[in-house]
């Protein structure tokens, strides 16, 4: 199949069908003023004057274009370019003696804009020249670039992604204002935000049947939707002093739009957004808050964002300003929150849920109040907090967000009863674990058991933990710890010196043999803080002390053992940051409560679990290892691995009682997979061996083992890993990861 005739030209034709006007290659180069040009200069100048009458004249338009051209061709310059596109920059108007915002795009009136598509866009920089297959422009400004590959081409999508990365390195001017990239091979269409081309930033565009290429192009490049993406769904954030760019995925934009409709309805005031762990709920919440507050129709609204712990609150604030929320009012105490609500404050309020304890009823009866509740299953942790919250704001709209809905679904209790009462299925929007893995939003989870001699005695585990958890219910880790504090015999057995030493020895061996060679890192989860300290001392006997660090909270009554391994808050921040970086120490974090929620370290591959858990707490904890990861050398995390020393996974469906049919299909026992692989190789593969023999092999001298291994490549990670040959000229092959995920950057 031909890339040009079968993919590139149809892509342009499908875009034309939804309103993008085609410009020939020669005309596009002329309108840019040559291959070094960045914009359709004359068109942009005309549109600036048309969209800003009385504000921008010809001279001012040329000045704005010069300023845009001088932006740094980097992610920071791209962020400034997006601010220009959104009308967030201004010019001085002498006749009015004031600054006025400038519109480069009219987001409210589609037909006021000019949409163009062209192909074979040649971009020349000082050293390099590159050619993009297809470029999309609005008002003369490039906003999207697409690479097309022939449907029958081996590794075509991987090649397309690598080309985008190369263009970004060699001719960054091509991405000065461009906000979105797209790679297609006819059947598949992948997309992402420019300047964010790592594995975790590339997503599958889903629409209708997999073979409906026209439908995918038509929906992805729908002009109304595309304008909405530019205005609302691209976010720049700073993490660890590094600017990053994100684009909301389909499940996020779908949830945003549903919540906005629900908040505007009036007659239905509850909703549950059930998006699996690691799918970006915090960013979805912030986008919703930003869009509600941006609405200028009617009375100014109030948005109340409720978070349930300090580290999540800190995570929230890092992203608020990036989404246009610059002055959130933070409730400092219960009294302060009451004063804010009584004063009828309009804007964003951020509070911890517990500050609603003993809040009077009907403290604010206004209807245009939207309450967004993070980790909504925890609102039922206290029997009265949810009651106080909803009684205080009787006419507000309450939207709960969760990745782990409350258990006891069959009895109709918990999260579904509280937030899902207005929807037939019990939720406003759902994004399951299986969907997230299929989309590449998260990776699958495998688990294996520790030696039976080290596992917790089943009768003791049932008596002191599982039966109590089942009867009382657990919605957060504090409740889990309270139950474990009463399990004296269980904890004594788990922390016995002999067991701690044997577990530490096994962890050290497994980590150095199986995890470290792949370039990944690990958590060791102890039953309590004392267990963490004991494991630290035991691990130091088998690994260098710098390999591991303990992260837990301090208490004034701590023993000498606990004090010995405590780290100061500033040191803890450094440890957290260092752990996320490949090659930096520590490589193993020993934890029991901290970092099990709200901490995102994609390099985390293996979790050595030695703490009894169940339901939401278990899923939240093991979800730490489900983040996609790809390093700069092409290593891709194939899955997350849980090493179970407790025996919780012996009865997985009981441990994860909700959505168990989906959960158990994507959290797999690695021992079962090994046996399946062995059976397939021994039994099933025999029928196909003859077809694998090349013509002329008979009578040839066999290759040496080393030569054969070098030719074929060797997989050291099992069936879920990327195999690479030693020759740099040979392409990577694939075990089970989608091929575009395996490309070396």
């Amino acid at each position: 199949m031909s890339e040009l005739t079968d993919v590139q030209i149809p892509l342009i034709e499908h875009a034309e069908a939804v309103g993008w006007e085609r410009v020939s290659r020669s005309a596009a180069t002329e309108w840019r003023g040559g291959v070094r040009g960045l914009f359709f200069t004359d068109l942009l100048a005309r549109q600036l004057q048309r969209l800003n009458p009385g504000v921008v004249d010809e001279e001012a338009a040329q000045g704005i274009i010069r300023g845009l051209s001088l932006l740094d061709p980097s992610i920071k310059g791209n962020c400034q370019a997006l601010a220009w596109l959104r009308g967030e920059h201004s010019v001085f108007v002498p006749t009015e003696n004031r600054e006025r915002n400038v519109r480069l795009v009219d987001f409210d009136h589609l037909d006021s804009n000019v949409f163009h598509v062209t192909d074979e866009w040649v971009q020349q920089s000082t050293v390099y020249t590159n050619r993009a297959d297809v470029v999309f422009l609005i008002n003369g400004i490039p906003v999207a670039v697409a690479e097309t590959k022939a449907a029958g081409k081996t590794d075509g999508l991987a090649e397309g992604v690598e080309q985008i990365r190369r263009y970004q390195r060699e001719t960054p001017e091509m991405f000065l204002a461009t906000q979105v990239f797209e790679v297609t091979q006819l059947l598949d269409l992948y997309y992402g935000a420019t300047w964010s081309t790592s594995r975790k930033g590339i997503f599958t565009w889903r629409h209708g049947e997999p073979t409906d290429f026209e439908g995918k192009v038509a929906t992805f490049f729908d002009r109304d939707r595309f304008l909405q993406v530019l205005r609302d769904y691209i976010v720049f954030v700073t993490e660890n002093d590094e600017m990053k760019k994100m684009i909301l995925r389909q499940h996020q934009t779908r949830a945003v739009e549903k919540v906005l409709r629900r908040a505007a309805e009036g007659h239905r005031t509850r909703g549950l957004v059930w998006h699996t762990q690691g799918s970006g709920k915090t960013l979805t919440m912030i986008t919703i808050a930003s869009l509600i507050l941006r609405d200028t129709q009617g009375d100014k609204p109030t948005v109340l964002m409720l978070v349930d712990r300090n580290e999540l609150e800190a995570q929230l604030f890092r992203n608020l300003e990036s989404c246009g929320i610059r002055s959130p009012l933070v409730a400092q105490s219960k009294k302060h929150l009451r004063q804010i609500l009584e004063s009828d404050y309009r804007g964003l309020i951020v509070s911890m849920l517990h500050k609603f304890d003993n809040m009077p009823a009907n403290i604010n009866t206004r209807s245009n109040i939207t309450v967004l509740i993070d980790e909504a299953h925890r609102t039922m942790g206290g029997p009265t907090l949810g009651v106080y919250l909803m009684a205080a704001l009787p006419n507000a709209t309450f939207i709960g967000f969760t990745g782990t809905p409350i258990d006891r679904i069959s009895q109709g209790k918990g999260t579904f009863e509280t937030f899902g009462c207005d929807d037939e299925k019990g939720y406003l929007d759902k994004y399951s674990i299986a969907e997230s893995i299929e989309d590449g939003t998260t990776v699958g989870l495998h688990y294996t058991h520790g030696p039976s001699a080290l596992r917790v005695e089943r009768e003791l585990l049932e008596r002191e933990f599982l039966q109590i958890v089942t009867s009382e219910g657990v919605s957060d880790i504090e409740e889990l710890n309270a139950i474990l504090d009463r399990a004296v015999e269980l904890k004594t057995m788990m922390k016995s010196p002999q067991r701690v030493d044997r577990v530490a020895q096994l962890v050290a061996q497994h980590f150095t043999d199986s995890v470290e060679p792949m370039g990944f890192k690990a958590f060791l989860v102890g039953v309590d803080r004392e267990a963490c300290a004991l494991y630290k001392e035991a691990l130091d006997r088998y690994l260098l002390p710098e390999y591991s660090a303990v992260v837990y909270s301090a208490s004034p009554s701590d023993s000498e053992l606990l004090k010995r391994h405590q780290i100061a808050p500033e040191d803890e921040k450094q440890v957290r940051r260092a752990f996320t970086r490949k090659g930096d120490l520590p490589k193993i974090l020993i934890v029991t409560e901290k970092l099990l929620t709200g901490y995102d370290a994609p390099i985390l591959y293996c979790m050595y679990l030695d703490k009894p858990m169940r339901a939401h707490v278990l899923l939240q904890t093991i979800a730490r290892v489900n983040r996609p990861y790809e390093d700069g050398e092409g290593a891709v995390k194939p899955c997350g691995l849980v090493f179970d020393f407790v025996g919780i996974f012996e009865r997985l469906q009981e441990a994860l009682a909700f959505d168990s049919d989906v959960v158990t299909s994507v959290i797999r026992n690695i021992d079962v997979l090994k046996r399946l692989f062995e059976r397939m190789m021994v039994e099933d593969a025999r029928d196909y061996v003859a077809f694998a023999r090349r013509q002329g092999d008979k009578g040839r001298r066999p290759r040496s083992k080393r030569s054969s291994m070098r030719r074929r490549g060797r997989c050291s990670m099992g069936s879920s890993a990327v195999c690479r040959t030693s020759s740099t000229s040979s392409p990577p092959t694939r075990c089970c990861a989608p091929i575009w995920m395996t490309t070396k950057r």
Side-chain angles (χ1 to χ4, degrees):
M1 295 185 72
S2 166
E3 173 187 324
L4 177 64
T5 59
D6 296 320
V7 186
Q8 185 169 313
I9 292 176
L11 170 65
I12 295 172
E13 290 175 345
H14 298 330
E16 283 186 283
V18 292
W20 297 79
E21 180 185 348
R22 184 172 185 174
V23 178
S24 69
R25 305 168 191 175
S26 58
T29 303
E30 180 183 348
W31 293 2
R32 292 163 54 203
V35 294
R36 290 183 179 272
L38 304 175
F39 315 111
F40 290 170
T41 309
D42 291 344
L43 171 62
L44 178 54
R46 290 195 300 271
Q47 284 296 97
L48 278 167
Q49 295 174 76
R50 178 187 176 195
L51 298 178
N52 302 276
V55 176
V56 176
D57 55 17
E58 174 64 25
E59 182 180 356
Q62 295 300 328
I64 292 170
I65 295 172
R66 281 195 299 273
L68 289 170
S69 302
L70 293 173
L71 291 176
D72 186 40
S74 65
I75 188 171
K76 292 183 178 179
N78 188 254
C79 179
Q80 294 173 358
L82 182 59
W84 273 103
L85 286 169
R86 289 175 170 173
E88 296 172 4
H89 284 283
S90 61
V91 296
F92 182 74
V93 182
T95 57
E96 299 180 9
N97 196 30
R98 60 170 177 159
E99 294 280 333
R100 291 277 301 273
N101 280 18
V102 176
R103 288 195 299 178
L104 276 69
V105 176
D106 190 339
F107 292 102
D108 299 319
H109 304 92
L110 180 71
D111 293 333
S112 296
N113 304 291
V114 180
F115 297 83
H116 283 131
V117 59
T118 186
D119 62 348
E120 304 299 322
W121 177 287
V122 177
Q123 189 72 59
Q124 183 175 334
S125 67
T126 306
V127 178
Y128 298 99
T129 300
N130 284 309
R131 182 175 60 195
D133 289 339
V134 183
V135 171
F136 293 79
L137 306 94
I138 299 177
N139 297 334
I141 304 171
V143 291
V145 61
E147 281 298 305
T148 58
K149 297 299 168 187
K153 187 171 186 178
T154 303
D155 299 350
L157 292 172
E159 182 181 316
V161 171
E162 177 55 31
Q163 282 182 290
I164 294 291
R165 292 168 176 161
R166 178 167 57 82
Y167 299 165
Q168 195 168 284
R169 291 192 305 269
E170 297 178 352
T171 52
E173 297 85 357
M174 186 185 293
F175 298 92
L176 177 72
T178 309
Q179 298 298 323
V180 180
F181 71 87
E182 178 263 346
V183 177
T184 184
Q185 200 179 23
L186 193 64
L187 297 180
D188 298 298
L189 191 154
Y190 295 110
Y191 70 100
T194 53
W195 302 98
S196 181
T197 57
S198 67
R199 151 75 180 82
K200 64 180 293 187
I202 303 173
F203 313 109
T204 305
W205 182 255
R206 301 199 176 279
H207 173 78
E209 294 297 321
T211 57
D212 185 9
F213 181 60
E214 180 179 358
K216 290 178 181 178
V217 175
T219 53
F220 186 84
F221 289 107
D222 176 82
R223 293 182 300 164
D224 279 311
R225 192 203 75 86
F226 203 88
L227 286 182
Q228 189 173 16
V229 169
L230 291 180
R231 184 183 60 188
D232 301 330
Y233 296 148
I234 295 174
V235 179
F236 289 84
V237 299
T238 300
E239 296 179 1
N240 299 324
D241 301 323
E242 179 183 356
M243 179 175 281
K244 296 183 179 181
K245 183 180 179 183
M246 294 183 287
I247 183 171
L248 270 69
R249 292 154 280 176
Q250 282 176 284
H251 69 276
Q252 292 174 298
T253 60
R254 183 183 68 223
V256 167
E257 290 159 13
K258 287 183 178 180
V259 171
L260 293 178
R261 287 196 295 269
R262 179 59 52 87
E265 280 181 353
H267 63 284
R268 291 192 291 180
T269 59
R270 308 282 181 89
L272 177 65
V273 177
W274 179 4
H275 286 187
T276 189
Q277 295 290 326
S279 58
K281 292 188 299 297
T282 300
L283 183 58
T284 304
M285 287 178 61
I286 294 172
T287 303
I288 291 168
S290 175
L291 295 180
I292 290 175
L293 294 173
R294 189 190 301 171
D295 187 3
T296 57
Q297 298 179 358
D299 292 338
K300 185 176 180 180
T302 297
V303 176
L304 175 60
M305 296 185 70
L306 294 180
V307 295
D308 64 351
R309 60 179 61 246
N310 288 325
E311 62 185 5
L312 289 182
E313 193 173 55
Q315 176 183 329
L316 188 71
F317 282 113
R318 286 197 298 268
N319 299 311
L320 285 176
E321 187 169 343
S322 302
C323 295
I325 304 175
R326 293 179 172 80
S327 302
L329 187 56
V330 183
Q332 303 296 334
S333 63
K334 294 179 183 179
K335 181 180 179 181
H336 187 212
L337 177 59
R338 180 172 176 174
Q339 291 172 344
I340 294 171
L341 295 175
E342 287 177 333
S343 70
D344 200 28
Y345 177 81
R346 310 298 177 102
L348 177 64
I349 305 168
V350 179
S351 175
M352 307 287 279
L353 177 64
H354 72 266
K355 292 184 174 68
F356 272 92
D357 190 27
N358 291 319
M359 185 70 70
N362 300 316
I363 197 166
N364 193 316
T365 59
R366 188 157 41 86
S367 61
N368 63 336
I369 298 175
T370 304
V371 184
L372 308 177
I373 306 165
D374 196 16
E375 300 299 347
H377 61 275
R378 289 173 57 91
T379 63
M380 305 308 294
T384 59
L385 283 177
V387 175
Y388 282 127
L389 167 64
M390 294 181 179
L393 306 170
N395 298 316
T397 298
F398 297 91
I399 306 295
F401 293 80
T402 183
T404 51
I406 204 75
D407 51 6
R408 303 181 184 177
I409 295 175
S410 60
Q411 287 79 22
K413 298 179 180 179
T415 320
F416 288 86
E417 183 182 52
T418 303
F419 297 99
C421 57
D422 285 341
D423 295 289
E424 182 179 350
K425 294 183 178 180
Y427 53 82
L428 182 62
D429 192 71
K430 180 181 178 182
Y431 186 61
S432 70
I433 296 175
E435 288 177 288
S436 72
I437 293 173
E438 186 179 0
D439 288 346
T441 302
T442 61
V443 297
L445 293 174
H446 292 171
Y447 69 90
T448 188
H449 297 293
S452 57
L454 295 178
R455 264 177 267 165
V456 176
E457 182 183 327
R458 194 71 199 183
E459 182 181 349
L460 179 59
L461 182 65
E462 290 279 357
R463 184 176 71 251
E464 291 204 353
F465 178 73
L466 294 175
Q467 292 177 5
I468 300 173
V469 167
T470 301
S471 62
E472 295 185 6
V474 169
S475 62
D476 59 43
I477 200 162
E478 288 85 357
E479 292 178 350
L480 176 79
N481 290 338
I483 292 174
L484 287 173
D485 286 342
R486 304 197 300 268
V488 178
E489 187 178 351
L490 176 65
K491 290 175 71 172
T492 300
M493 185 277 293
M494 295 184 70
K495 293 189 289 185
S496 67
Q498 297 83 0
R499 183 178 183 277
V500 167
D501 186 73
R502 290 182 64 189
V503 170
Q505 185 177 8
L506 195 152
V507 167
Q509 181 179 347
H510 181 268
F511 181 81
T512 53
D513 288 349
S514 302
V515 180
E516 187 179 26
M518 296 191 291
F520 302 132
K521 298 189 177 184
F523 269 14
L524 171 54
V525 184
V527 69
D528 59 18
R529 295 186 306 137
E530 183 183 44
C532 292
L534 292 171
Y535 273 127
K536 170 61 179 169
E537 297 194 345
L539 268 182
D540 286 352
R541 293 194 287 269
Y542 302 103
L543 296 172
L544 292 173
E546 294 81 8
Y547 260 54
S548 62
V550 181
V551 179
Y552 53 61
S553 301
S555 172
S557 59
D558 282 344
S559 65
E560 286 302 316
L561 172 66
L562 292 174
K563 291 178 181 178
R564 191 155 57 240
H565 298 290
Q566 289 169 5
I567 55 178
E570 286 303 315
D571 293 334
E572 181 182 319
K573 290 180 181 179
Q574 294 181 9
V575 165
R576 290 182 182 216
R577 286 195 292 266
F579 185 78
T580 63
R581 298 191 292 263
K582 183 178 181 179
D584 286 5
L585 297 172
K587 298 186 177 184
I588 301 174
L589 290 184
I590 307 171
V591 299
T592 185
E593 178 177 348
K594 272 191 170 185
L595 308 189
L596 295 185
T597 58
Y599 180 62
D600 191 8
I603 199 171
L604 175 59
Y605 163 73
C606 183
M607 176 173 288
Y608 302 103
L609 184 63
D610 196 39
K611 180 172 185 172
M613 294 184 180
R614 191 175 172 86
H616 346 281
V617 179
L618 175 61
L619 189 55
Q620 279 186 320
T621 298
I622 63 178
R624 297 308 103 202
V625 300
N626 79 348
R627 275 40 172 184
Y629 174 80
E630 174 191 29
D631 69 11
E633 299 173 357
V636 177
K637 186 166 79 174
C639 62
L641 176 64
V642 180
F643 207 119
D644 178 17
F645 286 101
V646 180
I648 290 295
F649 283 80
E650 290 177 359
R651 302 180 184 179
L652 183 59
Q653 287 191 335
E654 293 180 17
L656 297 169
F658 50 86
D659 210 21
S660 59
D661 57 329
V662 175
V663 171
T664 54
S665 69
V666 296
I667 303 178
R668 300 176 179 177
N669 188 331
I670 199 169
D671 301 312
V672 173
L673 294 176
K674 287 178 180 177
R675 290 195 293 271
L676 176 62
F677 178 74
E678 182 180 1
R679 181 185 64 76
M680 293 174 69
M681 294 301 295
V682 173
E683 299 177 11
D684 301 347
R686 285 184 297 186
D687 296 334
Y688 301 93
V689 170
F691 299 102
R693 184 179 293 121
R694 296 180 304 172
Q695 185 177 4
D697 275 354
K698 186 176 181 180
R700 285 189 178 185
R701 189 174 70 178
R703 296 172 182 263
S704 67
K705 182 177 181 181
R706 174 176 295 180
S707 173
S708 177
M709 190 66 73
R710 182 165 56 248
R711 176 175 58 86
R712 294 194 307 270
R714 180 172 63 180
C715 177
S716 62
M717 303 182 198
S719 62
S720 297
V722 179
C723 303
R724 297 190 178 278
T725 62
S726 60
S727 170
T728 57
S729 62
S730 301
T733 59
R734 170 175 62 169
C735 289
C736 23
I739 191 65
W740 64 270
M741 298 179 183
T742 69
T743 308
K744 182 176 180 180
R745 246 190 285 183

